[in-house]
């Protein structure tokens, strides 16, 4: 590094929740622009964003230094209560930076202990655990809330000297630095602290270091950061008192040298020294698979093969296929891949907890996603779908050419999910099982409302501006910048009204930042050792269906970061449909004395198919809503294959491209079935020449361009993730190889466009992105758009709300929200002057001609001239919607839950 370089070693990202306003990607761009060679992140008491920060820095060639600003208890981390008798505050700050692998592991441990043992308003550690976990760490004395500075400000310099000596002893000479800072507006206190620290450093031979305690990216972000602090405190901007200066931004090296170069150049150079000492980096992590205990006479591999082969023979006796040897050969192939990848234990873990659930009468789903392509999973009764009978590909689930952790999502009855997690926790050890963090972000509409509230702008005016932001498109939020180009009315308001410009400019600076931490609705980590020894964890509260509010341990890393850390993540999904089916079977058994066997229900039952053909699909999972029921009426399914195809086709890509119409017309013989490539006839014949399933996409690449199924799966993944650079590379390779095999380039270009359009994915919905759900715990209203944006790849964020189960209003946890493309939206005006925007198939509470309360689609309410009831606040004790002559409770949530339209799943 050059002589006048500088490294920021004290910096807060947006994962210093509602305190830091620096987002990783923007920081990476700024660090590259300013020429930084290295930079640290030191969020308050946590490591939530450590891995995301490191990945962002690596992309731009900046060395990431992983740290944390710890809260250190004045006494023991176990103490609770008021400040000590001398009036000292309960905690002080301390910067910790990981130098090497040992330091990182110690930082992980300290970040975890702050929550699991020391949490009291803040996650606190103490000198005892610091001494045990100091190896591999560098410590800085922190800001004016650090131990030495806070004592100096109270004129206790001698006590500060003693504390400095103690910390120097804990970390070792050369690994504890006294921290100097200088910010406009804070000069009096900082000058006093800096002078005393400089004298103490010389007296005790302790090195000095300069930091800028950055909380926002640029000086222009200061006001937006003030707004953020008001969101944290719940105050209006005019009421706020701010202890940060306009100088708490990411200053350039030149600015830092101009500030400190004459006074203390060595303290500046020490930032480079520390950066050079820090050699830790996230590498390729091993896979931390839980250890499955096998009977003594078996090895893990031997037991895996034993139960899999026994399971297949049981399946073969039941299904009696004409080609059992084909099944055995496929099983041998899958076993060889699984053993080569080392995932035998993974399958045994899943097999075991599913077996446990079934033995205790907890309904388990038949399987979902790519795991249905595995004959091993079918043999172990992890899934109940025969992959050979349905032409499902194993490579879609486990690609031998792309080593990645398997991912089996399992559906459980809502009432049994927590019991399965409890079993897993007992079986593998509670410290080895953890739930997973997820983070709510400040999406475009939500952040406009937040900023408007802090600025005390009139609520209707802010609502009007927020509603001008279009709803999510193709599963992605529309940013404020994009909305300004898409919506002329918004652009006009921005250009002509100063108060709107101020609102939007502040909101843009905060948009996308992390707002709060929460618990992933379905994800569970199972580890071979205490989770806190591998990744940081935190303690938080969530709501359990049976136990109410409970305290849980969760990883500080989100789902994607956990996978990079080599942790085994599993989704334990609570599915309402399974609960309803179980209740139906119990009711039938009670009435008739016999319980129907679902495995014996024919898939070609004429009466059931007739219901689909007539569009009578209300309450049928993924077939609700006018859009898909209308297509079912047009298609008139004749068997399960048609129903499966219909479910696969009802997505924006196929709908927009005309693929759905093409399929229906070909299915009824009104349009000729054609194949641009004769090699694809047997691939597409059962779907009338229309590519419907992802297995067909993979087969197309295999047949036309000679791809292996593993290579074809890589293209499928790239299409699903819309990674343009990857897609361009795959397109060039596909067309080149297919042309070399004698195929027409023009036809290949046409096919590629069709396949790219096919990849657009979503489900039907009947609520708009701006519709809100009320949080049953906090009372806060959160838009569907924000819920969908919290973590699209994480399948939604947990959210406790009210729903209507057909009999009463109940409290449920939202498990998943699927953004689903576009439908016609109408706006209706209520008698009180308010307006609602929704689709015509959205259901509202009303009363029929006999005065009975019910939920009906808006279209039917309008057609029948019925009243529509809405309310503002949820009632804490409300259990049923108002009926008869009762007046709706002023807090009753009289709208149907999103299960009917946004495909929300509750537990």
């Amino acid at each position: 590094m050059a002589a006048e370089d500088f490294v920021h070693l004290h910096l807060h990202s947006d994962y210093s929740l509602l305190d830091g306003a620096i987002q990783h990607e923007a920081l990476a761009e700024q660090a590259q622009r300013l020429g930084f060679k290295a930079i640290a992140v030191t969020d308050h008491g946590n490591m939530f964003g450590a891995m995301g920060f490191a990945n962002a820095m690596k992309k731009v060639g900046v060395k990431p230094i992983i740290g944390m600003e710890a809260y250190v208890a004045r006494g023991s981390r176990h103490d609770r209560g008021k400040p000590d008798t001398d009036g000292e505050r309960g905690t002080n700050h301390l910067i910790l930076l990981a130098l090497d692998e040992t330091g990182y592991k110690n930082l992980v441990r300290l970040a975890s202990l702050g929550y699991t043992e020391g949490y009291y308003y803040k996650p606190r550690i103490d000198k005892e655990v610091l001494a045990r976990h100091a190896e591999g760490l560098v410590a800085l004395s922190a800001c004016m809330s650090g131990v030495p500075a806070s004592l100096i400000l109270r004129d206790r310099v001698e006590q500060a000297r003693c504390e400095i000596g103690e910390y120097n002893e804990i970390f070792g000479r050369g690994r504890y630095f006294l921290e100097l800072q200088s910010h406009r507006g804070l000069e009096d206190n900082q000058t006093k602290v800096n002078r005393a620290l400089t004298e103490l450093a010389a007296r005790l031979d302790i090195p000095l270091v300069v930091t800028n305690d950055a909380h926002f990216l640029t000086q222009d972000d200061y006001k937006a950061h003030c707004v953020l602090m008001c969101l944290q405190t719940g105050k209006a901007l005019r009421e706020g008192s701010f202890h940060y200066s306009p100088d708490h931004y990411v200053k350039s090296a030149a600015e830092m040298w101009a500030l400190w170069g004459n006074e203390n150049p060595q303290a500046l150079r020490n930032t480079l020294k520390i950066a050079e000492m820090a050699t830790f980096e996230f590498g390729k992590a091993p896979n931390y698979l839980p250890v499955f205990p096998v009977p003594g006479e078996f090895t893990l591999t031997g037991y895996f093969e034993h139960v899999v082969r026994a399971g297949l023979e049981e399946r073969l006796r039941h299904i009696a296929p004409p080609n059992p040897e084909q099944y055995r050969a496929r099983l041998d192939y899958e076993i060889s891949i699984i053993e080569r990848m080392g995932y035998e234990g993974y399958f045994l873990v899943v097999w075991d907890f599913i077996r446990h659930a079934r033995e205790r009468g907890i309904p388990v789903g038949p399987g979902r996603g790519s795991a249905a392509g595995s004959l091993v999973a079918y043999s172990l009764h992890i899934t109940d779908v025969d992959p050979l009978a349905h032409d499902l590909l194993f490579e879609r689930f486990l690609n031998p050419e792309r080593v990645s952790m398997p991912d089996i999502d399992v559906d459980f009855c809502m009432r049994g999910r927590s019991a399965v997690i409890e079993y897993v926790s007992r079986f593998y050890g509670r410290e080895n099982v953890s739930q997973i963090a997820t983070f709510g972000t400040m999406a475009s509409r939500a952040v406009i409302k937040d900023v408007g509230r802090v600025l005390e702008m009139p609520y209707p005016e802010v609502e009007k501006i927020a509603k001008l932001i279009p709803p999510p498109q193709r599963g992605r939020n529309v940013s404020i910048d994009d909305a300004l180009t898409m919506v002329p009315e918004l652009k006009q308001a921005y250009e002509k009204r100063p108060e709107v410009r101020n609102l939007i400019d502040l909101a843009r600076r905060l948009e996308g930042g992390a707002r709060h931490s929460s618990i992933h609705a379905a994800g569970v980590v199972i580890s071979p050792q205490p989770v806190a020894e591998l990744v940081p964890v935190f303690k938080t509260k969530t709501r359990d269906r049976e136990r109410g509010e409970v305290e849980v341990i969760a990883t500080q890393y989100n789902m994607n970061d956990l996978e990079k850390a080599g942790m085994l993540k599993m989704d334990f999904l609570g599915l309402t449909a399974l609960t309803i089916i179980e209740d139906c079977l119990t009711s039938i058994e009670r009435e008739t004395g016999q319980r129907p066997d679902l495995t014996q229900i024919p898939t070609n039952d004429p009466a059931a198919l007739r219901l689909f053909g007539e569009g009578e699909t209300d309450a049928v999972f993924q077939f609700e809503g006018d859009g898909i029921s209308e297509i079912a009426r047009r298609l008139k399914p004749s068997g399960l294959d048609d129903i499966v195809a219909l479910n696969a086709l009802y997505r924006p890509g196929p709908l927009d491209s005309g693929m759905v119409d093409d399929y229906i017309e070909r299915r009824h013989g009104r349009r000729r079935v054609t194949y641009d490539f004769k090699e694809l006839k047997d691939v597409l014949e059962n779907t009338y020449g229309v590519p419907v399933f992802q297995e067909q996409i993979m087969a197309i690449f295999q047949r036309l361009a000679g791809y292996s199924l593993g290579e074809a799966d890589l293209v499928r993944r790239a299409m699903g993730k819309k990674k343009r650079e990857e897609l361009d590379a795959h397109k060039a390779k596909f067309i080149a190889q297919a042309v070399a095999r004698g195929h027409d380039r023009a036809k290949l270009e046409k096919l590629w466009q069709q396949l790219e359009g096919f990849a657009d994915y979503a489900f039907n919905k009947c609520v708009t992105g701006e519709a809100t759900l009320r949080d049953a715990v906090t009372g806060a209203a959160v838009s569907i758009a924000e819920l969908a944006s919290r973590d699209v790849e994480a399948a939604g964020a947990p959210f406790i709300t009210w729903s209507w189960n057909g009999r009463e209003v109940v409290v449920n946890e939202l498990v998943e929200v699927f953004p689903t493309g576009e439908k016609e939206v109408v706006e209706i005006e209520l008698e009180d002057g308010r307006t609602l925007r929704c689709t015509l198939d959205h259901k509202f509470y009303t009363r029929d001609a006999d005065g009975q309360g019910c939920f009906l689609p808006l279209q039917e309410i309008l057609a029948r001239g019925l009243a529509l009831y809405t309310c503002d606040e949820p009632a804490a004790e409300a259990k049923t919607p108002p009926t008869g002559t009762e007046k709706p409770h002023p807090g009753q949530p009289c709208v149907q839950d999103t299960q009917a339209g946004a495909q929300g799943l509750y537990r």
Side-chain angles (χ1 to χ4, degrees):
M1 295 186 183
E4 293 196 356
D5 278 346
F6 173 79
V7 177
H8 282 280
L9 298 175
H10 187 162
L11 181 146
H12 294 274
S13 79
D14 55 322
Y15 287 94
S16 289
L17 300 172
L18 297 183
D19 187 84
I22 302 174
Q23 296 180 38
H24 295 157
E25 299 300 330
L27 175 62
E29 292 176 8
Q30 182 75 338
Q32 186 180 42
R33 190 160 42 243
L34 295 177
F36 288 130
K37 305 297 190 302
I39 200 164
V41 67
T42 56
D43 285 320
H44 283 301
N46 71 67
M47 295 177 65
F48 290 147
M51 190 169 286
F53 162 80
N55 291 334
M57 294 308 119
K58 284 181 182 178
K59 288 179 183 177
V60 297
V62 176
K63 177 181 178 179
I65 301 171
I66 305 302
M68 174 180 74
E69 183 164 25
Y71 295 101
V72 182
R74 290 289 298 162
S76 168
R77 65 190 182 281
H78 301 293
D79 291 343
R80 303 290 186 269
K82 297 178 180 179
D84 61 31
T85 53
D86 292 329
E88 293 291 345
R89 58 185 299 166
T91 61
N92 290 109
H93 295 185
L94 180 71
I95 298 295
L96 299 173
L97 302 171
L99 297 181
D100 51 26
E101 185 76 25
T102 300
Y104 170 74
K105 290 179 179 177
N106 279 326
L107 192 66
V108 164
R109 192 67 180 138
L110 291 168
S112 301
L113 287 170
Y115 281 95
T116 59
E117 294 186 4
Y119 195 90
Y120 185 66
Y121 294 98
K122 302 287 186 184
R124 307 171 308 154
I125 57 176
D126 58 20
K127 290 177 184 175
E128 178 201 342
V129 292
L130 271 174
R132 278 195 274 130
H133 300 285
E135 186 180 354
L137 295 174
V138 155
L140 317 183
S141 63
C143 53
M144 287 190 289
S145 294
V147 172
S150 64
L151 290 169
I152 290 166
L153 288 173
R154 290 177 173 272
D155 297 320
R156 297 177 182 176
V157 177
E158 189 58 28
Q159 189 178 347
R161 182 190 66 78
C162 294
E163 292 283 353
I164 289 169
E166 192 171 351
Y167 278 107
N168 194 46
E169 186 174 333
I170 288 172
F171 290 97
R173 185 163 296 280
R175 291 196 295 116
Y176 178 66
F177 290 73
L178 297 179
E179 189 170 340
L180 305 177
Q181 296 182 359
S182 178
H183 302 96
R184 280 178 298 158
L186 307 175
E187 294 94 344
D188 290 346
N189 284 339
Q190 286 184 336
T191 298
K192 179 178 181 178
V193 168
N194 292 339
R195 184 181 299 116
L197 288 177
T198 302
E199 292 172 358
L200 287 168
R203 190 169 152 196
L204 301 172
D205 193 23
I206 305 290
L208 293 166
V209 68
V210 167
T211 74
N212 204 52
D213 194 6
H215 278 71
F216 41 94
L217 193 61
T218 71
Q219 196 167 3
D220 292 338
D221 293 321
Y222 173 65
K223 186 175 179 181
H225 184 258
C226 292
V227 170
L228 186 72
M229 297 301 297
C230 288
L231 291 177
Q232 179 194 122
T233 60
K235 293 182 178 180
L237 188 62
R238 64 178 176 82
E239 300 172 330
S241 57
F242 307 108
H243 55 274
Y244 293 111
S245 155
D247 281 345
H248 279 89
Y249 66 95
V250 181
K251 291 185 175 180
S252 67
E255 287 176 294
M256 294 302 293
W257 274 89
L259 189 62
W260 288 97
N262 292 329
E263 183 177 340
N264 207 319
Q266 186 56 46
L268 288 163
R269 295 189 189 100
N270 281 343
T271 67
L272 313 183
K273 178 180 177 181
I274 293 171
E276 289 167 0
M277 293 166 62
T279 59
F280 170 77
E281 60 180 317
F282 289 106
K284 172 64 176 171
N287 289 329
Y288 296 106
L289 295 173
V291 178
F292 183 82
V294 299
E297 67 271 24
F298 289 100
T299 63
L300 180 68
T301 298
Y303 190 61
F304 167 69
E305 290 197 23
H306 171 73
V307 295
V308 170
R309 294 189 190 282
L312 177 64
E313 294 307 317
E314 178 195 344
R315 288 287 198 186
L316 292 177
R317 286 192 296 273
H318 179 71
I319 63 176
N323 52 347
E325 289 308 314
Q326 185 179 349
Y327 281 76
R328 295 186 181 104
R330 167 76 171 260
L331 191 74
D332 287 341
Y333 167 72
E334 291 192 15
I335 286 175
S336 70
I337 297 298
I338 291 167
E339 290 179 356
R340 192 174 83 203
M341 292 183 165
Y343 294 144
E344 307 98 300
Y346 173 89
F347 280 88
L348 290 173
V349 168
V350 181
W351 163 71
D352 177 69
F353 67 67
I354 288 179
R355 182 183 59 171
H356 170 85
R358 289 197 169 111
E359 286 174 352
R360 280 150 185 77
I362 297 171
V364 183
R368 66 159 71 204
S370 61
S374 170
L375 186 62
V376 166
Y378 180 63
S379 300
L380 292 173
H381 290 265
I382 291 171
T383 65
D384 287 320
V385 179
D386 180 348
L388 273 71
H390 296 282
D391 297 321
L392 302 178
L393 299 176
F394 176 69
E395 289 80 2
R396 233 201 90 196
F397 168 62
L398 206 57
N399 187 341
E401 299 184 36
R402 180 183 179 274
V403 178
S404 60
M405 292 280 271
D407 187 13
I408 298 177
D409 298 340
V410 186
D411 294 316
F412 294 102
C413 163
M414 302 289 289
R415 290 190 291 265
R417 175 183 178 273
S418 59
V420 179
I421 295 176
E422 174 63 20
Y423 165 75
V424 170
S425 298
R426 290 199 313 270
F427 191 81
Y428 295 99
R430 295 196 182 279
E431 289 189 337
N432 295 13
V433 178
S434 173
Q435 298 199 50
I436 301 171
T438 187
F439 299 92
T441 59
M442 288 184 273
S444 49
R445 287 189 180 183
V447 73
I448 286 175
K449 293 179 181 181
D450 279 339
V451 173
R453 187 168 60 252
V454 171
L455 297 179
E456 298 179 282
M457 291 179 66
Y459 176 78
E461 185 176 338
V462 176
E463 279 289 300
K464 183 178 180 180
I465 296 299
K467 287 180 179 180
L468 291 175
I469 305 290
Q473 299 185 357
R474 297 294 185 265
R476 297 185 182 277
N477 266 320
V478 176
S479 70
I480 295 174
D481 283 345
D482 287 343
L484 285 168
T485 63
M486 295 165 61
V487 184
E489 186 179 351
L490 180 64
K491 183 179 180 181
Q492 184 178 34
Y494 176 79
E495 291 175 345
K496 294 187 176 181
R497 298 172 57 193
E499 72 278 12
V500 173
R501 177 182 288 271
N502 184 47
L503 167 69
I504 289 177
D505 283 345
L506 289 170
R508 288 159 86 180
R509 293 180 183 275
L510 298 176
E511 182 183 11
R515 198 183 196 285
H516 59 267
S517 63
S518 190
I519 302 299
H520 188 280
V524 174
V525 164
I526 308 175
S527 167
Q529 64 196 78
V531 176
E533 294 179 2
L534 299 172
V535 295
V537 301
F538 74 117
K539 187 183 292 185
T540 188
K541 291 182 179 179
T542 188
R543 181 169 290 276
D544 181 81
R545 181 183 177 89
E546 282 128 22
R547 296 177 293 165
E549 189 173 75
V550 294
E551 201 167 59
V552 299
I553 299 296
T555 63
Q556 292 187 25
Y557 291 162
N558 66 26
M559 180 180 67
N560 296 325
D561 290 346
L562 283 173
E563 291 177 3
K564 295 185 181 78
M567 303 299 289
L568 173 64
K569 184 272 300 180
M570 294 185 177
D571 280 345
F572 291 67
L573 297 157
L575 190 62
T576 305
L578 285 174
T579 307
I580 293 172
I581 291 170
E582 176 66 15
D583 289 346
C584 289
L585 294 174
T586 301
S587 177
I588 293 169
E589 185 177 20
R590 186 170 55 246
E591 294 295 325
T592 66
Q594 293 184 325
R595 186 179 181 87
D597 183 353
L598 294 182
T599 65
Q600 300 303 310
I601 293 177
T603 58
N604 60 348
D605 179 68
L609 292 169
R610 192 179 308 116
L611 288 175
F612 277 91
E614 294 170 356
E616 300 293 333
T617 56
D618 282 352
V620 178
F621 182 56
Q622 294 187 6
F623 286 89
E624 297 174 288
D626 290 346
I628 196 166
S629 63
E630 173 59 27
I631 291 176
R633 277 193 288 268
R634 291 173 54 202
L635 179 63
K636 302 199 179 305
S638 60
L640 181 62
D641 286 346
D642 277 344
I643 291 174
V644 173
L646 171 60
N647 193 32
L649 283 168
Y650 193 73
R651 292 175 285 124
L655 287 168
D656 293 347
S657 67
M659 195 182 293
V660 174
D661 295 332
D662 196 23
Y663 181 89
I664 292 172
E665 293 301 301
R666 293 183 182 205
R667 158 75 173 71
H668 290 297
R670 296 190 290 263
R671 187 173 297 171
R672 190 163 62 91
V673 176
T674 59
Y675 304 93
D676 285 344
F677 303 91
K678 63 181 185 298
E679 293 86 352
L680 301 184
K681 185 175 187 297
D682 62 332
V683 174
L684 301 175
E685 192 168 21
N686 65 336
T687 54
Y688 312 103
V690 178
V692 172
F693 305 113
Q694 294 190 1
E695 284 78 5
Q696 291 175 314
I697 303 299
M698 293 168 65
I700 287 171
F701 282 90
Q702 184 186 44
R703 297 291 181 87
L704 297 184
Y707 279 44
S708 69
L709 288 175
E711 288 178 306
D713 181 64
L714 297 178
V715 185
R716 177 195 65 80
R717 288 170 182 264
M719 284 184 167
K721 293 182 179 295
K722 307 292 189 297
K723 294 185 176 179
R724 177 49 52 190
E725 289 183 7
E726 285 187 35
L727 282 175
D728 289 344
H730 283 304
K731 178 182 178 181
K733 178 182 176 182
F734 167 67
I735 291 179
Q737 291 186 192
V739 168
R741 293 163 70 95
H743 297 298
D744 181 74
R745 179 179 292 274
K747 288 182 178 180
L748 291 167
E749 291 277 359
K750 174 185 172 185
L751 175 63
W752 181 271
Q753 290 181 357
Q754 186 181 22
L755 297 181
E756 271 199 329
F758 168 86
D760 280 343
Y761 177 83
F763 289 91
N764 62 302
K765 68 175 180 180
C766 77
V767 290
T768 65
E770 66 195 33
T772 57
L773 293 181
R774 184 72 65 174
D775 188 320
V777 178
T778 67
V782 182
S783 71
I784 296 293
E786 180 179 345
L787 289 169
S789 71
R790 284 184 176 178
D791 193 338
V792 174
E793 293 188 2
F799 186 84
I800 307 298
T801 190
W802 285 266
S803 66
W804 173 246
N805 68 4
R807 300 181 304 278
E808 61 181 3
V809 173
V810 295
V811 174
N812 273 315
E813 183 170 324
L814 185 68
V815 168
E816 201 158 1
V817 176
F818 299 97
T820 60
E822 301 171 1
K823 294 173 72 175
E824 182 180 0
V825 174
V826 298
E827 187 168 287
I828 55 176
E829 185 174 341
L830 307 179
E831 288 180 351
D832 61 7
R834 291 182 297 169
T835 59
L836 294 174
R837 283 168 54 84
C838 60
T839 55
L840 288 169
D841 56 1
H842 188 83
K843 294 182 179 180
F844 289 92
Y845 179 75
T846 187
R847 299 192 186 110
D848 61 20
D850 298 325
Q852 295 299 310
C854 57
F855 282 96
L856 294 174
L858 177 61
Q859 192 167 25
E860 187 172 345
I861 291 174
L862 296 175
R864 293 168 59 180
L866 301 175
L868 183 152
Y869 296 86
T870 64
C871 305
D872 293 325
E873 300 293 333
E877 299 179 357
K879 289 294 181 186
T880 58
T883 57
T885 59
E886 295 176 1
K887 183 179 180 181
H889 190 291
Q892 178 66 43
C894 296
V895 296
Q896 192 193 28
D897 62 68
T898 58
Q899 185 185 5
Q903 295 298 347
L905 311 182
Y906 290 85
R907 64 170 172 158

